[in-house]
Amino acid sequence: MDILVIGSGGREHAIVRKLRESPKTGKLYCVPGNGGIACDAECAPVGAMDKEGVLAFAKEHKVDFVFVAPDDPLAAGMADFLEAAGFPCFGPNAKAAEIESSKVFSKNLMKKYGIPTAEYEVFSDQGAALSYIRERGKYPVVIKADGLALGKGVIIAQNEGEAGAALRSMMEDKVFGESGSRVVVEEFLTGPEATVLAFTDGKTLYPMASSMDHKQACDGDKGPNTGGMGTVSPNPAYTEEMAKRCMEEIFLPTVKAMNAQGRKFKGCLYFGLMLTPDGPKVIEYNCRFGDPETQVVLPRLQTDFVDIITAVAEERLGDLEIKWSDKACACVVMASGGYPGSYRKGLEIAGLDEKGQVPGMPEVTVYHAGTKREDGKFYTNGGRVLGLTALGDTLEEALDTAYGAVEKVRFDGAMYRRDIGRRKL
Ligand code: AMP
Ligand code: GLY
């Protein structure tokens, strides 16, 4: 099977590498890809949102299957468009992708079907939102832009002043564009967070191995929210018993609810969970693999990945059994100095071989997130640059190996957290 992957980050690199392991994979393409992905797949400068461009590429290269990895093209109907043109896809259609692209839709879905989540109200009027927050008088309070906002559309306000400022920036200054014209105001939940990705074809749902992201930029969960600075799998707080509860109270009810709404979800459903003292609750859904969760989950997958994605597309996932390795996996992200604010690009990365890996460390996989390759050298080209990833018999071992690799890689201003996987639960 010749496969085209759409996207350009560390997640896409992990997807490409996993597809490469399958004997069923023929040619592998990725658009637009990045410097590291280009070592494992043929990349081309076609934008992930460019439907016509992607279709032309798929036709020209006669690909058999398309894997749509990022949220924006899914929300914009990339899978609908390609399927209508005869290309089977992994990834939900636009109607199902709304589970991520509209927080109002997903919150209302959970309320309607009794899926546990934070208490909330929806507002399209700034004054009404502020009066509600004032009357409620409980802080912190969580304010979320309705639409996609590059993972930055959530503000945890500690007092009325911060809440007012958040509402102003979203609703009046429109820092997230139309995404902020409606907001969700919700209860602040506490507890360890867990990510569970799941394969589903709308009939069967198989949760993948659990993981834990580290969203804040700095050690001790300080600093601004980022796309994710590192991950571990399994998530130490996600016990067998919790997994059972989540399956019954959250995962299966979500699949049912989407079907009942005429929005059958096919692809990877991302459950962002808070394991609160009152039980697991959904913080957010995503309609795709997480980044950098994918980088620690897919290395643990033992079942042929091509078999899984084709079974999802053809709605026969129930025929498969999916196996996971018992090993632990850790990913430490190296980011550009200044990220998630402004940062420089084009800095040379030292310590990588011509394949973009750390020489002499075959036990480490370097997933490239924001790099470009020129004359066999790699340069920074994004906020998150690399994800240094290792498996181990224990989480400690995986972390030691990944951090050992971090020490060998250098670029000006490189920034990483020293406490990935070491959070006290
Ligand atoms: P999201 O973009 O929805 O994943 O939110 C970003 C981060 O904000 C989450 O990973 C949580 O750490 C935090 N967050 C979101 N909603 C809540 C909530 N209701 N209570 C506490 N923390 C939250
Ligand atoms: N790591 C969080 C996300 O992919 O949205």
Side-chain angles (χ1 to χ4, degrees):
M1 245 171 74
D2 293 350
I3 306 174
L4 167 61
V5 177
I6 300 179
S8 61
R11 165 183 56 203
E12 287 74 13
H13 198 186
I15 290 167
V16 159
R17 286 218 149 204
K18 198 70 197 180
L19 290 171
R20 182 43 78 214
E21 284 177 21
S22 168
K24 294 182 176 147
T25 300
K27 289 212 175 103
L28 203 44
Y29 304 96
C30 183
V31 297
N34 65 37
I37 297 175
C39 299
D40 298 298
E42 190 180 323
C43 296
V46 177
M49 290 294 279
D50 177 1
K51 289 186 196 168
E52 296 293 346
V54 169
L55 178 61
F57 185 93
K59 282 184 175 161
E60 185 189 337
H61 297 272
K62 298 192 176 62
V63 304
D64 300 299
F65 195 92
V66 185
F67 194 126
V68 190
D71 46 345
D72 323 20
L74 288 166
M78 182 66 87
D80 315 52
F81 180 76
L82 293 172
E83 275 171 352
F87 291 95
C89 290
F90 183 87
N93 61 28
K95 268 180 86 178
E98 232 180 287
I99 198 165
E100 170 170 2
S101 61
S102 170
K103 299 241 188 236
V104 173
F105 169 76
S106 71
K107 293 297 289 189
N108 290 344
L109 184 86
M110 289 186 268
K111 186 188 256 179
K112 180 161 181 193
Y113 294 92
I115 298 164
T117 188
E119 296 290 330
Y120 72 102
E121 293 288 336
V122 177
F123 296 94
S124 42
D125 180 84
Q126 195 182 326
L130 193 59
S131 327
Y132 169 77
I133 290 171
R134 208 175 273 147
E135 267 160 44
R136 190 172 169 270
K138 265 197 249 166
Y139 298 95
V141 64
V142 183
I143 301 171
K144 301 186 173 183
D146 176 37
L148 296 178
L150 295 170
K152 295 174 192 160
V154 174
I155 291 178
I156 296 173
Q158 301 295 341
N159 52 51
E160 194 183 313
E162 285 183 23
L167 292 171
R168 211 171 310 121
S169 74
M170 287 182 194
M171 305 183 86
E172 204 170 301
D173 305 339
K174 299 224 178 275
V175 293
F176 305 120
E178 283 313 304
S179 284
S181 52
R182 280 197 298 181
V183 298
V184 171
V185 175
E186 71 177 30
E187 166 199 13
F188 179 76
L189 300 175
T190 57
E193 279 185 52
T195 300
V196 179
L197 309 173
F199 294 112
T200 177
D201 60 358
K203 297 174 182 165
T204 304
L205 177 140
Y206 288 136
M208 300 184 214
S210 64
S211 55
M212 177 185 273
D213 194 4
H214 297 69
K215 285 193 206 262
Q216 290 87 356
C218 310
D219 285 5
D221 296 329
K222 304 245 158 52
N225 252 342
T226 69
M229 293 298 291
T231 37
V232 295
S233 175
N235 182 316
Y238 193 73
T239 58
E240 291 267 328
E241 191 195 324
M242 189 59 81
K244 231 184 240 157
R245 272 191 82 172
C246 288
M247 190 70 174
E248 282 162 22
E249 297 172 20
I250 295 174
F251 305 160
L252 294 175
T254 301
V255 171
K256 264 202 187 151
M258 289 296 275
N259 284 332
Q261 293 291 297
R263 295 171 190 257
K264 177 157 63 182
F265 190 101
K266 290 168 61 173
C268 171
L269 190 49
Y270 171 122
F271 297 91
L273 304 169
M274 190 73 91
L275 311 179
T276 79
D278 303 327
K281 295 188 180 180
V282 177
I283 301 175
E284 63 159 348
Y285 292 114
N286 290 328
C287 67
R288 49 163 177 92
F289 276 90
D291 189 342
E293 286 92 338
T294 308
Q295 289 89 315
V296 288
V297 171
L298 285 186
R300 299 185 56 208
L301 175 63
Q302 292 180 320
T303 307
D304 188 301
F305 195 30
V306 172
D307 283 346
I308 300 174
I309 61 173
T310 47
V312 167
E314 293 163 15
E315 296 181 31
R316 43 174 188 76
L317 186 60
D319 298 347
L320 292 188
E321 197 188 332
I322 298 185
K323 293 215 170 82
W324 297 93
S325 138
D326 288 333
K327 288 194 187 272
C329 195
C331 171
V332 179
V333 170
M334 293 181 82
S336 299
Y339 174 75
S342 59
Y343 50 83
R344 286 165 67 201
K345 286 185 187 178
L347 303 168
E348 187 176 339
I349 305 171
L352 298 177
D353 63 18
E354 70 283 357
K355 296 285 282 172
Q357 300 299 307
V358 181
M361 294 190 85
E363 67 282 21
V364 171
T365 302
V366 183
Y367 293 119
H368 287 232
T371 69
K372 64 181 179 202
R373 187 175 59 157
E374 269 167 29
D375 304 327
K377 285 188 185 157
F378 293 89
Y379 299 87
T380 65
N381 195 35
R384 290 186 290 176
V385 177
L386 302 167
L388 295 101
T389 308
L391 288 161
D393 289 331
T394 61
L395 184 55
E396 250 339 285
E397 194 187 303
L399 284 164
D400 283 348
T401 312
Y403 274 109
V406 168
E407 281 174 22
K408 308 223 156 148
V409 177
R410 277 176 312 280
F411 51 89
D412 273 355
M415 208 176 79
Y416 61 90
R417 278 182 62 162
R418 286 165 178 75
D419 63 347
I420 300 303
R422 289 168 179 155
R423 184 185 272 152
K424 287 220 169 50
L425 299 177

